[in-house]
Amino acid sequence: MRIVSGIQPTGNLHLGNYLGAIRNWVRMQDDLEPGSECLFFLADLHAISMPHSPAELRRATLEMVAALVACGIDPNRSVLFNQAQVPAHAELQWLLNGTARMGWLNRMTQFKDKSGKNREGASVALFTYPVLQAADVLLYQATHVPVGEDQKQHLELARDIAQKFNNDFCSEDAPVFTLPEAFIPPAAARIMSLRDGTKKMSKSDPSEMSRIELADDADTIMKKIKKAKTDPGSLPSEMAGLEGRPEALNLVSIYAVLADEKPEAVLARFAGQGFGVFKPALGEVLVETLSPISQRFRELVEDREALDAILAKGALRAREIGIPTLDATYNALGLVRARERG
């Protein structure tokens, strides 16, 4: 099994990022059988498909590396790198553009969502984004790709491109590309804002009190939890009692995810008690979980040399894995390249 997955570099990482995606990556790495491999990459090439600040992208990329390692991704056990250091991603995308079809890309809902009413003003990169996603996984002969509901369409496109390329340019017994299968990770926790239980926790919220950031220290975490919005009611004994109480549901859900318990078990323990009791208990669980991560994250963010070394090591391994596929693609297409001498 070879698992390949990417994540866009975003700054100000918070509890929602950790519980929603990063923790699943760590579990994938830890659950791998001998001989299998995980490749995790920062999708910085994808990031430039939308308007961006170069300085912010650079900062966010390094911050994301620090966060992933602090959360448990081990560069000695997984291949961790950013796309920009592996030119084969962009090369393979161009080669696959000849196989991808306009009709296929026109059906991609993400382009419609992100371009909105200004499709003519959207970048070409946003339109061809799914072909780069296909290159991201096909380059490494990925057998499995973790996908959520919003990415299933892109994985199907990658399989369509791989299948058409193999049919058009390869013999039946010697295909260039492996058709990756979807890997459905455990349902990611949906973490909501501490100020509004109907909205997802987000770095774009102007209030820092709406989120727990990975860089927060213990005192800041406790302060944010104590000030988190709640209602005057006490905690019920059953989940039905949380209906119509989004803030209460959010805090109970966070506790349950961090403690690896069912929400029902949390309610059974705190039933009848108010948030004056529950919030400090939740804060303690958060501090216990996040303090080691926060400390390691802050150390790594300040160590540019260590971050560069991690990315360089991962990129070297990624290039080694991807070269045979890239060479086979050029060869299948009939493109003339320099022959090795010797």
Side-chain angles (χ1 to χ4, degrees), residues 8-160:
Q8 284 223 30
T10 57
N12 299 328
L13 295 168
H14 52 71
L15 182 67
N17 300 131
Y18 172 60
L19 296 178
I22 298 174
R23 195 166 72 155
N24 272 342
W25 274 20
V26 175
R27 288 176 171 173
M28 283 179 227
Q29 166 194 269
D30 294 345
D31 292 343
L32 271 187
E33 296 180 358
S36 296
E37 196 167 25
C38 277
L39 286 87
F40 299 127
F41 66 89
L42 307 183
D44 48 0
L45 294 183
H46 285 289
I48 66 173
S49 64
M50 297 288 286
H52 76 286
S53 159
E56 171 62 18
L57 176 57
R58 188 176 295 110
R59 184 192 68 79
T61 300
L62 294 169
E63 194 172 288
M64 180 65 85
V65 180
L68 292 174
V69 174
C71 289
I73 297 297
D74 184 350
N76 294 316
R77 296 162 58 204
S78 297
V79 183
L80 177 60
F81 63 99
N82 61 307
Q83 287 172 309
Q85 294 199 54
V86 186
H89 283 253
E91 281 188 76
L92 186 58
Q93 181 197 16
W94 180 254
L95 299 180
L96 295 179
N97 276 339
T99 297
R101 291 295 180 256
M102 291 289 291
W104 298 352
L105 296 181
N106 275 324
R107 289 194 291 271
M108 295 293 107
T109 57
Q110 185 165 308
F111 176 73
K112 297 174 185 176
D113 293 342
K114 288 194 173 184
S115 61
K117 296 180 179 179
N118 187 28
R119 294 188 66 176
E120 294 298 317
S123 73
V124 173
L126 184 62
F127 185 71
T128 61
Y129 184 109
V131 185
L132 179 56
Q133 281 194 318
D136 293 334
V137 297
L138 298 179
L139 177 64
Y140 301 109
Q141 304 293 343
T143 60
H144 294 80
V145 178
V147 291
E149 286 298 325
D150 60 335
Q151 292 298 324
K152 284 184 178 179
Q153 188 184 39
H154 287 176
L155 182 60
E156 285 303 315
L157 177 69
R159 289 174 56 88
D160 288 343

Side-chain angles (χ1 to χ4, degrees), residues 270-293:
F270 290 96
Q273 300 189 61
F275 287 99
V277 173
F278 183 71
K279 282 183 174 181
L282 172 58
E284 289 176 8
V285 174
L286 274 163
V287 169
E288 182 181 351
T289 302
L290 295 183
S291 284
I293 293 174

Side-chain angles (χ1 to χ4, degrees), residues 135-207:
D136 293 334
V137 297
L138 298 179
L139 177 64
Y140 301 109
Q141 304 293 343
T143 60
H144 294 80
V145 178
V147 291
E149 286 298 325
D150 60 335
Q151 292 298 324
K152 284 184 178 179
Q153 188 184 39
H154 287 176
L155 182 60
E156 285 303 315
L157 177 69
R159 289 174 56 88
D160 288 343
I161 290 173
Q163 185 67 68
K164 179 169 174 53
F165 188 98
N166 289 340
N167 290 343
D168 290 351
F169 302 109
C170 311
S171 62
E172 190 173 338
D173 59 345
V176 168
F177 297 116
T178 299
L179 272 61
E181 299 289 340
F183 173 77
I184 310 298
R190 185 176 172 83
I191 306 302
M192 313 305 282
S193 165
L194 299 180
R195 307 303 297 165
D196 183 348
T198 65
K199 296 180 180 179
K200 283 187 68 176
M201 187 174 287
S202 170
K203 71 166 188 171
S204 61
D205 192 308
S207 172

